[in-house]
Structure formats: structure tokens, C-alpha cells
Amino acid sequence: MNTTHDDVSGAATHPEPARNRREFLRFAGLTGAAVAFAGCSSGSPELLAPASTPSGAVIGVDGSVTLDFSNELDVLNYAYALEQLEAAFYVQVVANASFGTTFAANEQRVLRDIRDHEVVHRNFFAAALGSNKIPNLTPKFGTINFANRTSVLETAKTFEDLGVSAYNGAARYLKSAEYLTLAGKIVSVEARHASTIRDILNPRSGDFAPTAFDLANTPQTVLTAAGPFIVESITVINT
Amino acid sequence: MSNSSDATRVLDSIDTEIAEQLLSRRAALARGASTTGVVMAGLRMGTVPAALAALSTSAFGQGGRLPTAVTGVLNFALRLEYLEFEFYNRGLAAARLIPAADRTIFTTIQTHENVHVEYLRTALGASARPKPTFDYTAGGGSGTGPFADVFTNYATFLAVAQAFEDTGVRAYKGQAPTLLPYKDVLQAALTIHSVEGRHAAEVRRLRGNFADNEPNQGWVTLALTDIPGTAAVYANEQNIMQGGIDVTTIVTGIAAKEVSEAFDEPLTMAEILAIVTPFIAA
């Protein structure tokens, strides 16, 4: 497959979807400032004070993000942050010069597909949130050896399990059935990824599903685990 | 909506009692040892008591009664878990069906389904509906349905296993909105939902001998199925419209096929029951 993808950190730069996003969000009148901050230099005078976005998210002068879970748009922003991380990771995995020699043919198919799925998830949240979305995050992958099969697959396992536990733990903060269903549509795909990566690491073992109940981690636990891979600090309040 | 202090209080009050119930009930299970292992692992990790607390009747106040909406969903889930758990029990018990190399996979899934059954029964208490009698040939009790060789032909067994797991994912997903007001129950159900997704991916890949070629990848591509008679299990999985957005228009170089894979679609209770009914004899 000959595909092109966004750059590593780039969230959606695509045109707005044809259908009315505001109708989806069901928050009439919400027009956002969040996106404006993404492109501003940190020296801009208007950024000297933290800015609150319509979603409830607060973006600090250092790029730090505070998400307010009393506003369910910020629960989506939380998912958007994690999908940005995953998408950036898999884009870099597949783009690595040794990708074709580091991984077996079936593993390449798996990793390309997962890259596509995570880019889809990221761009979906970006489009759905529109002006309410948090800025692009900066991945920090210095500890990952992208030319090493085990390093990549172990990181993939960490991210996929983390994603599953994050969606499972954040669902309780959603207020609308529409968003809950959307999160549900995505979390089971993350679980399919986790199962696949785990089986590739330990074939035909029981590792694809290590427990009868998956974890449902708090945002704090998830962000502590994800923190080392993201430059900007992310904090969740009102959980 | 319960807060964290409620959850802690519930845990404190029922943890021992419920855990003991669960652990004593396992003695009646054929594979008590492995079930105990998983339950004990869960107890150590804290996941099992948290989930049990969520489903305990005491979590719903003085009356100690689960709301009708919750018992409806949990009994629906129990029916599906019974279907799966007896299926794997019988498959693993069948002579020369599951190759030695694949038994770990199926004992893992079997153990999980057993735990899910016990967990839902414990939560429902007296409200739990009894286990139906199943016809795994999908013959509605005739024993001569389209999957007549399900316990003698490994390929058929795998096909039915995949259909059950993918159906399970869609079933739990479809009930999430009903559980929305009951945050702890919702969360518990979701922690089962994603495990069904893990099972589904493993069985799907096993069916393709782990070569990860469509449609035997861990995820569902469009509404594709290579299993005759399972169109309803995959109906609408080709969907690319999410939240009013045509997702193919917001990505570059990613086809509708991959977009469809990125989202699993729910099914309603009625749609699920229509799929399951041929497998129920009585």
C-alpha cells in the first residue's frame, strides 16, 4: 500500500468535515480559542497568563495542558492526547528506514494497519472537537529504539494496554450516550491491537488477554505512565 | 452517580463476603484450579473486588436491589457468557478437537468466560436467570444446524468461536448507553467488553494461522466474513460515518477499509438475540 501520512506530531491539518461538527458536539455557540494558541510563539504577550479554552482545558505558557473532566469535551481531549501519542509512535515505527528488515511480513501488515487506525482515531477526535481541541503535543521517544523489534513491540504493548485502561477508566466521566458509544467503538479496537501485539511477542500463549477483567485506570495513573513520552505535561482535574 | 468514597465504602463492606462467595462457588466448577488462579490474581491486583463491588446489590442503596435496567443488561450479558463458557468447556473436553499447541489459548478464554459467568451470577444473586440449553450447531435444538460438526471439526469450532467473540464485543458495546447512569456497573462491563475484544482478535488471527492476512486479522475489515451464515454478526461494520463525520474525508492516504477497521460497531439487544437464538435449544 502506498500511503502518505501526516508528520509525526501533526494532528489533523485536513479541511473540516462536510457534516456539521457543531451538530455533533451539541454545544451550540462554542467557538474556541484553543487552536489559536497552538500556533502562537511562547513570547506573545497574550500568552503570559494561562488561557482557558471553551472546552474547559487550560493551556499554560509552557504548553502544559490542564483538562477539566467536569466538561466531557475534555474527556474527549484526553482521548485525543493519547491518540496523538499512539499515532506519532506508529508513524515513526513504519517510517523507520529499517522497518522492512526489522519486522516479519505479517508484523509489518499489523503495524501498518495499527498506524492507520491510530491516525484515524487522532484525526477523528481533532475533527470532532474542532476549535475545542487541545494543541498538538510533542512526542518524546528518546528511549525507544525504532530499529529494534523488541523495543518497538514492547512499547506498542505498553501503549495499547494503557489505551484500553484509559478508555475503560474515563468512560464514567462521559455524560452523553453518543460519546460513550464512540469511545466504546474505539476501545475494543485498542484491545484488538493489544491482543495482537501481545501474541506477536509471546505467540500462542495466554498473554493476549492476561486477566478476565481489563484494567480501568484513572487519568492520573494513565498520565503518569504516558508522561515520559510527551514533552508537555498534562493534568486532569475534577475527577 | 457514585463517587470514590462510595466506592471505597462498598469495597470495605462487601469485599470479603463476595470474594468468599465467588471462591466457594468455584468448587463446583470443573476447572476450579485455573479459575481460582485468575480470581486470586484479580484479587491481588484489586480488579476483581472493585468490579464485584460495582455490581453488588449493596452498591444500590438500602433496598439492596439492582435497578431493573441493570438486571436486564446483566442477565443479557449472562446469557452470552453462558453461551461462550459452555462452548469452550465442551470444546476443550472433546477428544482430538483442539490441537495441543492451541490449548493454552482456549483454556485462557475458557477461564475468563467462567469468571465472567460467576461474576455476573454473583452480582445478580436471586435475579440471575438460569443457564439455557444450547445447540452449538445453530439448529435451534435440532442438533443438525449449519455448524453440525462444531465439536468434531476444528475449523468449524474456530469459526463459531470467532462469531461468538465478535458478537460479544458488539453486545457489551450496545448496552453501554443503558448503563450510563450507573457508573460503576458501566466501568465493570467495559472491563469485560475489552477482554472480549482481545479474545476475538486472538481467535481471528488463529483462524488465519497468525499470518495476519485479511479477513483473518485481529480487527474487523468492512463487514467481511469468511464464515458462512454470519453476515448478521458483521452487519454495518463497514461504517465510516462517526459522529456525523465521514472519517474518510479527514485522513490522507487511508482507505475506507482501514477506517472501518478503526471502529467496532455496536448491535442492539434485539439484533444480538436474533444472532444467538439459533444456538438456544430451550
Side-chain angles (χ1 to χ4, degrees):
Chain A
M1 185 168 53
N2 181 21
T3 61
T4 57
H5 290 277
D6 299 331
D7 65 322
V8 167
S9 62
T13 54
H14 304 274
E16 294 295 311
R19 289 281 297 272
N20 190 334
R21 177 180 5 96
R22 196 166 282 114
E23 173 190 321
F24 164 59
L25 291 173
R26 300 185 308 128
F27 281 81
L30 288 185
T31 55
V35 71
F37 292 97
C40 293
S41 74
S42 57
S44 301
E46 65 270 30
L47 291 183
L48 291 178
S52 183
T53 73
S55 70
V58 177
I59 314 301
V61 293
D62 58 351
S64 66
V65 176
T66 304
L67 300 173
D68 180 355
F69 265 30
S70 67
N71 182 331
E72 68 176 341
L73 291 181
D74 271 3
V75 182
L76 302 191
N77 265 321
Y78 171 67
Y80 176 46
L82 296 172
E83 297 292 354
Q84 284 192 53
L85 176 67
E86 287 190 307
F89 170 71
Y90 289 105
V91 165
Q92 197 163 332
V93 166
V94 174
N96 189 275
S98 69
F99 178 71
T101 51
T102 302
F103 297 98
N106 74 302
E107 295 168 354
Q108 293 180 39
R109 281 192 285 278
V110 163
L111 291 167
R112 279 203 178 89
D113 271 1
I114 297 181
R115 174 201 59 186
D116 287 351
H117 303 161
E118 305 300 5
V119 168
V120 164
H121 293 163
R122 180 195 65 194
N123 288 16
F124 170 71
F125 280 115
L129 282 158
S131 59
N132 293 294
K133 71 176 185 288
I134 58 171
N136 297 350
L137 299 171
T138 315
K140 191 166 62 177
F141 293 150
T143 58
I144 304 164
N145 180 352
F146 283 92
N148 180 279
R149 178 179 177 275
T150 305
S151 177
V152 166
L153 292 176
E154 288 289 346
T155 306
K157 173 176 140 179
T158 297
F159 285 171
E160 297 298 343
D161 282 341
L162 192 64
V164 171
S165 75
Y167 279 97
N168 282 346
R172 64 189 303 115
Y173 299 105
L174 292 171
K175 296 180 174 71
S176 72
E178 291 88 346
Y179 293 155
L180 178 63
T181 297
L182 279 163
K185 290 182 181 200
I186 293 174
V187 64
S188 54
V189 174
E190 303 291 348
R192 293 173 187 272
H193 294 167
S195 172
T196 300
I197 295 292
R198 284 173 156 274
D199 183 85
I200 286 173
L201 278 165
N202 196 356
R204 280 188 154 95
S205 71
D207 281 0
F208 64 94
T211 56
F213 303 92
D214 266 324
L215 292 173
N217 278 333
T218 64
Q220 289 76 17
T221 298
V222 170
L223 292 170
T224 297
F229 300 101
I230 305 173
V231 170
E232 295 82 6
S233 78
I234 305 174
T235 308
V236 170
I237 60 169
N238 287 324
T239 52
Chain B
M1 174 171 146
S2 60
N3 58 34
S4 57
S5 66
D6 285 340
T8 306
R9 192 166 63 245
V10 167
L11 263 180
D12 288 342
S13 62
I14 69 154
D15 180 57
T16 308
E17 179 192 346
I18 299 282
E20 281 172 0
Q21 270 190 50
L22 189 62
L23 291 173
S24 64
R25 186 171 283 161
R26 60 84 184 164
L29 294 173
R31 274 136 305 274
S34 58
T35 302
T36 306
V38 167
V39 172
M40 290 313 293
L43 287 170
R44 282 195 297 274
M45 293 172 59
T47 54
V48 167
L52 287 170
L55 293 187
S56 163
T57 53
S58 65
F60 291 93
Q62 300 298 320
R65 296 178 62 87
L66 293 166
T68 304
V70 173
T71 56
V73 171
L74 297 190
N75 265 314
F76 170 67
L78 178 60
R79 198 171 182 81
L80 297 174
E81 296 288 355
Y82 271 135
L83 176 73
E84 292 183 316
F85 122 103
E86 185 167 304
F87 174 72
Y88 294 112
N89 285 352
R90 289 176 62 176
L92 283 160
R96 293 178 300 281
L97 177 68
I98 301 176
D102 296 349
R103 289 189 73 84
T104 300
I105 291 168
F106 286 106
T107 53
T108 298
I109 298 177
Q110 170 209 40
T111 301
H112 293 172
E113 311 301 9
N114 285 353
V115 172
H116 295 165
V117 165
E118 287 307 296
Y119 167 53
L120 292 166
R121 284 179 58 187
T122 303
L124 283 159
S127 302
R129 294 178 56 189
K131 183 178 76 61
T133 303
F134 295 114
D135 174 2
Y136 289 104
T137 74
S142 70
T144 58
F147 306 114
D149 58 355
V150 63
F151 293 122
T152 54
N153 181 333
Y154 189 44
T156 305
F157 176 80
L158 291 178
V160 174
Q162 176 184 313
F164 285 170
E165 297 296 341
D166 279 330
T167 298
V169 173
R170 304 191 73 173
Y172 277 96
K173 198 188 316 295
Q175 295 310 304
T178 304
L179 298 178
L180 188 54
Y182 313 103
K183 302 298 184 186
D184 293 333
V185 182
L186 169 67
Q187 184 167 304
L190 288 174
T191 64
I192 297 177
H193 166 249
S194 54
V195 169
E196 301 291 339
R198 289 173 187 264
H199 294 171
E202 183 74 3
V203 175
R204 295 177 65 86
R205 296 181 64 245
L206 170 56
R207 290 190 61 247
N209 201 27
F210 297 101
D212 294 296
N213 289 304
E214 288 171 6
N216 304 123
Q217 294 182 303
W219 26 91
V220 179
T221 303
L222 301 171
L224 295 178
T225 173
D226 59 354
I227 305 169
T230 59
V233 175
Y234 299 99
N236 197 39
E237 285 284 9
Q238 78 279 11
N239 183 34
I240 53 166
M241 294 295 297
Q242 302 295 348
I245 298 168
D246 177 345
V247 181
T248 60
T249 66
I250 57 167
V251 290
T252 305
I254 299 178
K257 199 167 66 171
E258 282 76 26
V259 169
S260 77
E261 292 168 354
F263 298 89
D264 281 338
E265 298 296 323
L267 285 177
T268 65
M269 193 180 283
E271 288 166 335
I272 295 290
L273 291 175
I275 290 169
V276 168
T277 294
F279 293 96
I280 295 176

